[in-house]
Amino acid sequence: MSRPTLADVAARAGVSVTTVSRVLNDRGYLSDRVRADVHRAIAELGYRPNEVARSLLGRGTRVVGLIVPTVADPFFGEFAAAVEANLADRGYRTLLCDSLRSVERETASLELLLAHQVAGVITSTHNDDVGLYRTAGLPIVALDRRLGPGIPDVRSDNRAGASLATRLLVDAGYRRILFVTPRDDLGSARRSGYREVVGAHGLTESLLAYGFGSSLDERRALIESALDEGGYDAAFCTDDVSALMAVEWARTRGVRVPDDFGVVGYDGSAAVRHLAPTLTTVLQPVDRLADESVRLLMQRIESPDGDVPAETVLPVTLRRGETVR
């Protein structure tokens, strides 16, 4: 069955194609009856406007691309939902792309969004050097990622969050604290916050980098192996999923949490707060991160040459649970 056209809608509503176009684009005076007839015809036929064609006519697609590393992660799933709701309030729709933490898929996702002539892109992935962002020629905002000049970076205060988490563990008496993170990045703010606190107390820095591309099973195996062999009495994990894996390791080994082993996570998504309310974690302000990302993108779309901050840093809070003594 062929896709209904503008002419089909016009015929069903008993009006001209020009009138249907005016209803869709909200241009000029039209009676309520005519508008109702057109919208009824659209609903009956299942007509969908061709957004790319509208963009070529100078209307813009009013579609924003959102690239996440995986919607399976509670934080990124919540961020995606908040971005989509915010964009909808502004009359935009969201085209969601899941890169599955792959450079190739991220590049392909960006190429797809460019082909659909989206109005802009919000990206929250963390793959190294996807150069297409710098040559894309459209408004882009990054979440917790520096992509280059002219691309705003919205992030929470990672260094302060890591310092809060590590200091809590040290003050509670833990001394062998494993830092669990996706990659071995000496320049990362969270690692810097961790390193500063353990160094200030004369403790040894210990790192497990499981890799962004690791599956959940692979990550669990790496965490369990490190904890089995390392003699650690605490773990600070830069995401809540890894933190819960560390808690589960302790349970299966008969290690008491928090008496013998302390755990702090990072992100504090609503799902984790509800499903694992006892986890101590650093809360990222996910709604504010989404709001600020959308606000800056709209500013870029509406004023391409206007000034926007290169970096926006939002505060974090520490949520004390029962996984630290």
Side-chain angles (χ1 to χ4, degrees):
M1 183 176 179
S2 61
R3 180 176 177 175
T5 66
L6 206 67
D8 295 329
V9 173
R12 175 67 65 93
V15 297
S16 68
V17 171
T18 300
T19 297
V20 175
S21 178
R22 287 169 62 194
V23 170
L24 290 172
N25 295 317
D26 194 24
R27 286 181 172 174
Y29 172 78
L30 293 166
S31 71
D32 291 340
R33 183 187 63 77
V34 168
R35 290 180 183 276
D37 288 344
V38 170
H39 284 299
R40 187 180 303 111
I42 288 172
E44 291 173 354
L45 293 171
Y47 173 75
R48 296 292 180 270
N50 186 324
E51 293 291 350
V52 173
R54 294 181 72 194
S55 72
L56 294 175
L57 292 172
R59 289 286 300 162
T61 62
R62 297 191 73 80
V63 175
V64 166
L66 173 61
I67 307 176
V68 297
T70 171
V71 293
D73 184 288
F75 172 77
F76 291 110
E78 188 173 336
F79 177 74
V83 166
E84 184 171 16
N86 196 306
L87 286 168
D89 288 342
R90 297 169 182 264
Y92 282 79
R93 289 177 292 167
T94 306
L95 184 55
L96 177 63
C97 297
D98 190 327
S99 73
L100 298 179
R101 304 183 188 276
S102 160
V103 174
E104 292 76 17
R105 284 186 64 99
E106 182 175 355
T107 301
S109 295
L110 184 54
E111 290 173 342
L112 172 69
L113 296 174
L114 291 173
H116 280 75
Q117 300 188 38
V118 295
V121 172
I122 296 173
T123 179
S124 59
T125 55
H126 292 82
N127 292 312
D128 292 326
D129 195 25
V130 178
L132 185 57
Y133 285 114
R134 292 187 289 275
T135 59
L138 81 167
I140 296 173
V141 172
L143 176 71
D144 200 8
R145 185 179 183 189
R146 293 184 177 90
L147 290 176
I151 301 178
D153 173 23
V154 179
R155 62 179 63 213
S156 66
D157 196 336
N158 292 304
R159 191 168 190 155
S163 295
L164 285 171
T166 311
R167 191 174 298 112
L168 177 67
L169 289 168
V170 172
D171 290 346
Y174 301 102
R175 290 295 177 265
R176 290 270 297 156
I177 304 169
L178 177 64
F179 179 66
V180 181
T181 188
R183 63 184 179 190
D184 184 2
D185 183 358
L186 283 170
S188 80
R190 293 182 194 179
R191 186 173 179 184
S192 296
Y194 160 81
R195 187 190 310 116
E196 287 175 358
V197 174
V198 296
H201 289 80
L203 305 178
T204 302
E205 179 183 359
S206 299
L207 171 72
L208 170 63
Y210 56 79
F212 271 119
S214 300
S215 68
L216 289 176
D217 287 340
E218 290 169 337
R219 190 195 316 184
R220 183 189 299 275
L222 288 169
I223 290 172
E224 290 180 349
S225 177
L227 294 176
D228 281 337
E229 300 171 5
Y232 301 105
D233 62 358
F236 167 41
C237 305
T238 61
D239 67 274
D240 288 333
V241 173
S242 295
L244 292 173
M245 289 178 177
V247 172
E248 179 64 10
W249 167 85
R251 187 191 68 79
T252 59
R253 302 307 193 269
V255 177
R256 296 178 303 168
V257 175
D259 296 343
D260 302 321
F261 186 71
V263 181
V264 180
Y266 207 104
D267 288 337
S269 67
V272 170
R273 295 198 308 273
H274 287 299
L275 297 175
T278 62
L279 178 66
T280 298
T281 187
V282 177
L283 302 181
Q284 293 204 70
V286 62
D287 287 335
R288 289 190 61 195
L289 289 167
D291 291 349
E292 190 65 13
S293 297
V294 172
R295 186 187 70 80
L296 288 173
L297 187 68
M298 292 299 105
Q299 192 172 331
R300 271 282 188 236
I301 291 171
E302 294 163 8
S303 302
D305 298 323
D307 292 331
V308 294
E311 182 178 82
T312 300
V313 181
L314 301 176
V316 297
T317 55
L318 182 65
R319 180 176 182 268
R320 183 71 181 263
E322 300 174 11
T323 56
V324 176
R325 60 181 176 235

